[in-house]
Amino acid sequence: MRNHPVILAWILGTSLLHAHAQGTCPATHPSEFKIELKRLGVDEVMDNGVKVPRVYGDIGVNGQNFGRFYENPALKIAAGVYRGTLRYESNHNFVQGSCGEIGRQGDFLLEVSGVKAADGAKRTDILFHPGFKPSHSKGCVLFGARQRDAAGNPKPLSPDEPLVKLRRAFYGTDTPNQCPNKVITITVTG
């Protein structure tokens, strides 16, 4: 049987679709998408019946404030500059899609890459996701509580929430049809 050009193109195209399932979007001359996490202080919050400390701060993109973020003080990311990576799947309901929907698959979940522990060990799965208590994070950056309906099911995020604003700023729309040519830089201060 001869190699058929249409079948070969389909096989190559299918394998290329999966080649960029995680990471940054392919780019020859990307623009920079600059995320700033500015820590402002520590407050206290009730977490599992106990009052515990929590780091809080503001997230900005290209100099524009998008709202508040939270971290677990014991597991926070060290101040520095990191690369952001897009993920499209998660074992948790952390991946955004259009209209504030969040699930296990979607088109927007940011991971902070290159984070190291105090002992120099590599830390992975440092994600931007909903949450507000230190127990909601094993080092991730949290962006507020998910609202729930009367039956206890999570509602979509509202358009004013930092994660929705972040996705919209990255794609330039709520309904993207392609990945923009951007490199994600995350700067943590404070």
Side-chain angles (χ1 to χ4, degrees):
M1 183 168 133
R2 287 183 165 178
N3 288 338
H4 192 279
V6 173
I7 293 173
L8 186 56
W10 179 81
I11 290 169
L12 287 173
T14 303
S15 65
L16 289 175
L17 285 174
H18 298 291
H20 293 92
Q22 305 231 134
T24 56
C25 302
T28 53
H29 299 297
S31 62
E32 187 175 21
F33 187 71
K34 295 169 67 172
I35 300 171
E36 302 95 24
L37 298 174
K38 182 178 180 180
R39 294 186 181 117
L40 300 174
V42 177
D43 62 6
E44 290 186 329
V45 63
M46 292 301 289
D47 193 353
N48 297 318
V50 178
K51 205 174 211 180
V52 296
R54 167 183 74 175
V55 173
Y56 68 91
D58 285 340
I59 180 172
V61 174
N62 298 327
Q64 181 181 358
N65 188 331
F66 277 22
R68 191 59 39 112
F69 74 89
Y70 307 98
E71 290 179 285
N72 181 333
L75 300 170
K76 68 184 183 181
I77 302 167
V81 178
Y82 301 93
R83 181 173 160 251
T85 305
L86 274 183
R87 290 178 52 175
Y88 302 101
E89 294 180 4
S90 169
N91 291 332
H92 305 284
N93 289 320
F94 293 158
V95 189
Q96 276 191 81
S98 61
C99 302
E101 292 291 337
I102 291 193
R104 292 181 184 264
Q105 294 183 334
D107 62 17
F108 193 79
L109 174 60
L110 277 178
E111 179 174 4
V112 185
S113 299
V115 178
K116 298 203 183 260
D119 65 2
K122 183 178 177 180
R123 292 178 62 194
T124 60
D125 298 321
I126 308 297
L127 307 173
F128 283 22
H129 66 78
F132 67 100
K133 296 179 182 179
S135 65
H136 295 160
S137 170
K138 292 188 168 113
C140 296
V141 181
L142 306 172
F143 289 93
R146 293 246 353 235
Q147 301 300 314
R148 298 192 177 270
D149 63 20
N153 301 311
K155 291 181 175 181
L157 299 176
S158 78
D160 293 330
E161 295 194 45
L163 287 172
V164 175
K165 290 178 183 178
L166 192 60
R167 179 182 175 274
R168 189 179 317 119
F170 181 76
Y171 286 116
T173 179
D174 285 323
T175 54
N177 59 13
Q178 66 183 19
C179 191
N181 192 4
K182 296 180 181 179
V183 170
I184 304 165
T185 303
I186 301 166
T187 303
V188 181
T189 59

